[in-house]
């Protein structure tokens, strides 16, 4: 699909249960509460489905993705990332209208913009940008669960300082470095900390290319499933 252009460099790949062991439960639990904080009316089954996507990566080329993963940014061969039974959701950044609510017709980030996103990811890989596991736990358990959701502190106050970004936040950083989403400048959404995998599943800032489960049989193409979570509901109030 990358070779034929239906999936492009720079596209977002979200992995269902894509972290190590118990981290999936921790991230999923936190994400469920984070979505509820953003949209109290979101349907329970939609929230649960989106929250199960716990890792984000960037399409780099036909052989690899680029991702922020413990202990440092890296490339990962598709053969290693997509083992039998792996479930992924592929989405593409898109431009919103002047009110920043509804996707413009045919307004995907153009192919050139996608390649720039991939190149920004490449810089982190070449620099071996560190991603300590402690940062992930701090992000989900302390910053969001305790400080933001339990104590009720404002997002800006909780995230006024940071060290490194979690996987989804770093993808957002690469997008911003590629001059995507300029309308978020000087808003909380500009911060990478605002973008966790479940929100990327549901936000209309990304268009769903397809949701796939990898076949156990070598050489068999993934089969799209329907509907994709982002098409069922959107935290921003519009279909994805």
């Amino acid at each position: 699909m990358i070779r034929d252009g239906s999936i492009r460099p720079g596209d977002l790949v979200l992995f269902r249960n894509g972290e190590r062991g118990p981290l999936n439960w921790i991230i999923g639990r936190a994400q469920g509460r984070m979505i509820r904080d953003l949209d109290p009316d979101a349907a329970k089954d939609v929230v649960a489905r989106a929250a199960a996507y716990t890792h984000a990566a960037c399409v780099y080329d036909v052989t690899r993705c680029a991702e922020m993963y413990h202990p440092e940014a890296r490339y990962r061969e598709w053969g290693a990332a997509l083992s039998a039974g792996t479930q992924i959701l592929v989405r593409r950044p898109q431009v919103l209208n002047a009110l920043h609510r509804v996707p413009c017709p045919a307004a995907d980030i153009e192919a050139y913009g996608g390649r720039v996103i991939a190149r920004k990811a490449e810089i982190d890989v070449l620099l071996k940008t560190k991603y300590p596991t402690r940062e992930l736990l701090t992000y989900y358990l302390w910053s969001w669960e305790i400080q933001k959701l339990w104590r009720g502190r404002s997002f800006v106050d909780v995230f006024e300082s940071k060290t490194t970004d979690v996987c989804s936040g770093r993808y957002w950083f690469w997008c911003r470095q590629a001059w995507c989403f300029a309308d978020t400048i000087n808003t909380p959404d500009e911060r990478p900390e605002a973008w966790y995998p479940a929100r990327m599943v549901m936000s209309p800032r990304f268009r769903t290319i397809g949701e796939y489960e990898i076949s156990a049989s070598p050489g068999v193409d993934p089969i799209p499933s329907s509907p994709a979570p982002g098409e069922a509901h959107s935290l921003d109030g519009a279909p994805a």
Side-chain angles (χ1 to χ4, degrees):
M1 295 179 73
I2 297 171
R3 290 185 189 280
D4 69 22
S6 53
I7 293 176
R8 304 192 310 220
D11 283 348
L12 168 67
V13 183
L14 295 148
F15 291 80
R16 186 178 178 91
N17 295 320
E19 275 290 349
R20 294 179 174 94
L23 286 177
N24 288 306
W25 181 86
I26 292 170
I27 295 170
R29 177 181 180 277
Q31 288 194 135
R33 297 198 67 219
M34 291 150 74
I35 294 172
R36 290 292 185 196
D37 179 66
L38 195 59
D39 183 0
D41 297 324
K44 183 177 180 180
D45 60 333
V46 173
V47 171
R49 195 173 183 195
Y53 283 89
T54 58
H55 180 61
C58 175
V59 175
Y60 182 73
D61 60 19
V62 295
T63 62
R64 298 169 290 178
C65 62
E67 59 187 356
M68 181 64 74
Y69 199 81
H70 177 80
E72 62 191 25
R74 68 178 184 180
Y75 296 126
R76 185 159 51 145
E77 300 289 331
W78 291 120
L82 304 178
S83 57
T86 300
Q87 296 179 39
I88 60 171
L89 177 66
V90 181
R91 309 202 76 199
R92 181 170 298 153
Q94 62 177 2
V95 180
L96 303 190
N97 69 359
L99 297 177
H100 313 312
R101 299 284 294 179
V102 181
C104 298
D108 287 344
I109 300 300
E110 71 280 2
Y112 171 77
R115 289 195 296 271
V116 175
I117 294 171
R119 292 304 180 191
K120 297 301 179 181
E122 177 185 46
I123 292 172
D124 269 340
V125 174
L126 295 177
L127 293 177
K128 298 183 178 180
T129 301
K130 299 298 182 184
Y131 179 14
T133 301
R134 183 176 65 179
E135 176 73 14
L136 183 147
L137 296 175
T138 297
Y139 175 84
Y140 283 103
L141 296 182
W142 173 250
S143 299
W144 272 100
E145 283 273 7
I146 297 175
Q147 296 280 61
K148 174 72 171 65
L149 301 176
W150 290 355
R151 295 183 60 188
R153 298 185 64 198
S154 72
F155 176 87
V156 174
D157 289 341
V158 172
F159 293 104
E160 62 184 352
S161 63
K162 68 182 184 69
T163 52
T164 55
D165 300 317
V166 298
C167 58
S168 51
R170 204 60 180 177
Y171 179 84
W172 180 264
F173 175 81
W174 297 331
C175 289
R176 292 291 296 110
Q177 289 288 299
W179 296 100
C180 302
F181 308 123
D183 63 280
T184 64
I185 294 174
N186 296 323
T187 73
D189 277 354
E190 182 181 20
R191 296 170 179 263
E193 293 82 7
W195 293 93
Y196 41 93
R199 188 179 183 194
M200 288 180 159
V201 168
M202 301 175 74
S203 173
R205 291 190 179 278
F206 303 89
R207 179 173 70 86
T208 295
I209 304 301
E211 187 173 25
Y212 311 96
E213 180 170 350
I214 306 306
S215 171
S217 302
V220 177
D221 290 336
I223 305 299
S225 62
S226 177
E231 295 169 345
H233 183 84
S234 164
L235 291 180
D236 299 86

